[in-house]
């Protein structure tokens, strides 16, 4: 089950993130930082145990970032990471964001969910605002992955797509 984090989860979020931050796969987050941005965090809980976490961080108008995605290594490759990113996508859509991105070393998790590999220049400079706390700072070697969240309404589609039957070039078999 994925749910929003509470203060009861701060210890486990800290313990999930710390070893991964040490090896540089996620950005370090202090306890104070986790507490002050707790509303951004989701946790994956199974049988009363938190096995993974991630956060959805507002960056700019209509742009949001998946950050601090971590799954307990004993439960890797079971779909937990995918479920956490999907929760972020759903939340971003519900909040009306138009783009979601991540900076990551694990591109396939995101590509399988419709993200594409992008040039960081597609993202505003603001994305670097938290990098001062990262040991890599300006030598970031992560890959940017982006997914557009804008959904097209049927009424906004061009005529032939809205009503394919009206276009003689588009035929249907019985
Ligand atoms: C990245 C991470 C969250 C993935 O969690 P997970 O629960 O293992 O991911 P999933 O089981 O949902 O994986 C979905 C797919 O992503 C890909 N994938 C997952 N982990 C991968 C890895 N380490 N390397 C390459 N591809 C990977 C696979 O295609 C996988 O599908 P498959 O198992 O059917 O082949 C987890 O490995 C982790 O905590 N890593 C350390 C921290 C980190 O790198 N976080 C990402 C920061 S953005």
């Amino acid at each position: 089950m994925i749910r929003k984090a509470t203060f009861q989860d701060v210890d486990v979020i800290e313990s999930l993130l710390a070893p991964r931050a040490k090896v540089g796969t996620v950005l370090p987050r202090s306890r104070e930082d986790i507490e002050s941005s707790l509303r951004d965090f989701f946790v994956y809980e199974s049988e009363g145990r938190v096995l993974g976490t991630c956060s959805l961080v507002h960056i700019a108008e209509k742009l949001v970032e998946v950050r601090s995605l971590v799954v307990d290594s004993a439960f890797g490759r079971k779909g937990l990471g995918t479920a956490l990113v999907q929760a972020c996508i759903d939340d971003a859509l519900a909040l009306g964001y138009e783009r979601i991105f991540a900076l990551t070393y694990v591109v396939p998790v995101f590509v399988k969910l419709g993200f594409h590999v992008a040039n960081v220049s597609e993202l505003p400079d603001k994305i670097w605002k938290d990098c001062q706390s990262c040991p890599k700072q300006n030598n970031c070697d992560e890959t940017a992955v982006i997914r557009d969240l804008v959904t097209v309404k049927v009424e906004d589609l061009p005529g032939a797509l809205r009503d394919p039957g009206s276009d003689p070039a588009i035929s249907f078999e019985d």
Side-chain angles (χ1 to χ4, degrees):
M1 167 185 85
I2 293 182
R3 58 169 176 78
K4 295 293 279 183
T6 69
F7 268 96
Q8 280 67 46
D9 302 313
V10 172
D11 285 342
V12 69
I13 292 173
E14 201 179 15
S15 64
L16 282 166
L17 290 175
R20 297 311 182 48
K22 214 170 179 178
V23 295
T25 49
V26 293
L27 217 63
R29 308 280 299 253
S30 66
R31 188 178 181 88
E32 194 187 4
D33 179 16
I34 295 167
E35 285 180 349
S36 64
S37 51
L38 195 58
R39 279 177 296 180
D40 292 344
F41 277 89
F42 290 94
V43 292
Y44 188 108
E45 185 187 314
S46 178
E47 295 174 2
R49 199 174 148 197
V50 171
L51 306 177
T53 189
C54 70
S55 69
L56 186 69
V57 182
H58 169 87
I59 299 296
E61 194 192 350
K62 297 179 181 168
L63 177 68
V64 75
E65 177 180 359
V66 178
R67 197 180 287 178
S68 305
L69 170 66
V70 166
V71 168
D72 183 327
S73 52
F75 296 87
R77 304 301 275 261
K78 295 181 189 300
L80 276 58
T82 300
L84 283 160
V85 177
Q86 185 63 54
C88 287
I89 294 169
D90 294 345
D91 201 31
L93 272 166
L95 290 165
Y97 283 96
E98 291 185 355
R99 270 189 140 187
I100 185 166
F101 77 95
L103 296 168
T104 186
Y105 296 107
V106 194
V107 172
V109 179
F110 292 91
V111 169
K112 283 187 166 179
L113 286 168
F115 287 73
H116 69 272
V117 174
N119 194 308
V120 281
S121 62
E122 283 185 52
L123 297 165
D125 289 345
K126 268 186 168 184
I127 65 163
W128 306 119
K129 75 177 180 206
D130 292 307
C131 297
Q132 302 320 312
S133 56
C134 176
K136 295 184 182 168
Q137 291 203 7
N138 297 329
N139 300 313
C140 180
D141 53 358
E142 291 179 299
T143 301
V145 286
I146 299 180
R147 179 175 152 175
D148 288 321
L149 297 170
V150 181
T151 48
V152 181
K153 293 186 197 145
V154 173
E155 54 267 31
D156 293 338
L157 287 170
L161 285 174
R162 196 183 325 138
D163 179 14
S166 68
D167 187 335
I170 302 172
S171 62
F172 296 96
E173 286 178 21
D174 290 332

